Amino acid sequence: QKEVEQNSGPLSVPEGAIASLNCTYSDRGSQSFFWYRQYSGKSPELIMFIYSNGDKEDGRFTAQLNKASQYVSLLIRDSQPSDSATYLCAVGVNTGGFKTIFGAGTRLFVKA
Amino acid sequence: DVKVTQSSRYLVKRTGEKVFLECVQDMDHENMFWYRQDPGLGLRLIYFSYDVKMKEKGDIPEGYSVSREKKERFSLILESASTNQTSMYLCASILGPTYEQYFGPGTRLTVT
């Protein structure tokens, strides 16, 4: 079982719709949760982070965390063609040292 | 503005060559990471370092080594490049376990 799992997609939504991206993780000791956006040929950039159960909103983005279910999601409201990218879910774990485990990413296409 | 730089954006090397990839960060971060990213496999951790002269193996260290002589600089070394090391290589640094990773622009390495 992969430590961080995401549906690879592609997920296709029309412009203006809500895009919902999901992620599950296996390590119950995970402390921090991140969503990165990666455009083709570019490096990942952070768009959201969340540490506590519940919702966190930032502009058009909402991150949701449920530690009991080991589940984290990202909602993108009013999706725009410029949101078309691969979205990486990442989990911070402390294993004596610490490291970040990345999912393989979900490709999102927003159709104009 | 935080910055992680990598020595080359594109690199072409021949099989058997020794390859050096350098990464420099200006954020005074103690923790630095090297990943490779391949289609369908996501980001895979090669090596990481928590401090100067310290290094830890990641998930796929075979065929690689690293050097951290100064806090700001973390080098990845391919001792004898092989075609299966053709990939995008990403360097990142992080302030602490609950903080985001800052990525460099990436080096696309082709081994022929």
Side-chain angles (χ1 to χ4, degrees), chain A:
Chain A
Q1 182 187 4
K2 290 184 180 178
E3 295 182 68
V4 178
E5 291 209 49
Q6 297 180 253
N7 188 321
S8 62
L11 173 65
S12 183
V13 300
E15 185 176 359
I18 296 175
S20 178
L21 305 165
N22 305 312
C23 171
T24 58
Y25 60 94
S26 60
D27 187 341
R28 286 193 173 274
S30 301
Q31 300 176 309
S32 48
F33 307 86
F34 306 89
W35 283 99
Y36 289 82
R37 178 177 61 200
Q38 187 175 25
Y39 292 112
S40 180
K42 302 293 187 182
S43 55
E45 57 176 329
L46 182 76
I47 52 172
M48 287 290 288
F49 63 89
I50 186 167
Y51 305 140
S52 304
N53 278 329
D55 295 0
K56 180 180 178 182
E57 187 175 319
D58 184 1
R60 296 186 296 113
F61 300 100
T62 299
Q64 300 174 315
L65 175 62
N66 184 325
K67 288 187 176 181
S69 300
Q70 296 175 247
Y71 176 90
V72 58
S73 65
L74 178 71
L75 300 177
I76 306 174
R77 289 181 299 281
D78 188 24
S79 296
Q80 301 297 309
S82 59
D83 294 326
S84 298
T86 296
Y87 289 80
L88 305 176
C89 173
V91 174
V93 297
N94 203 327
T95 57
F98 66 87
K99 57 182 180 178
T100 306
I101 311 296
F102 287 85
T106 298
R107 285 193 301 155
L108 172 66
F109 290 109
V110 180
K111 299 174 292 186

Side-chain angles (χ1 to χ4, degrees), chain B:
Chain B
D1 195 17
V2 297
K3 194 168 249 187
V4 179
T5 57
Q6 294 183 230
S7 49
S8 304
R9 290 301 305 274
Y10 300 94
L11 208 54
V12 180
K13 295 291 182 181
R14 294 191 180 274
T15 301
E17 280 192 82
K18 191 169 185 176
V19 182
F20 294 87
L21 303 180
E22 294 206 322
C23 174
V24 177
Q25 50 95 3
D26 65 359
M27 297 166 283
D28 202 33
H29 288 171
E30 293 183 344
N31 312 285
M32 298 185 73
F33 303 80
W34 273 106
Y35 297 91
R36 65 177 282 177
Q37 188 174 33
D38 302 287
L41 297 178
L43 281 162
R44 292 183 291 168
L45 182 63
I46 305 171
Y47 266 96
F48 55 109
S49 170
Y50 295 133
D51 202 350
V52 175
K53 298 192 184 295
M54 294 185 68
K55 58 186 178 184
E56 296 284 343
K57 291 180 180 179
D59 301 318
I60 51 164
E62 297 78 18
Y64 303 94
S65 62
V66 291
S67 173
R68 185 105 181 261
E69 295 295 320
K70 293 185 177 182
K71 191 175 186 179
E72 67 271 17
R73 190 180 299 269
F74 191 34
S75 300
L76 179 70
I77 303 155
L78 286 67
E79 297 291 343
S80 177
S82 63
T83 54
N84 63 13
Q85 292 178 309
T86 292
S87 186
M88 169 70 89
Y89 289 87
L90 289 159
C91 174
S93 72
I94 189 171
L95 179 60
T98 58
Y99 292 84
E100 69 173 288
Q101 295 212 357
Y102 290 91
F103 285 90
T107 295
R108 186 166 293 282
L109 172 68
T110 301
V111 182
T112 62

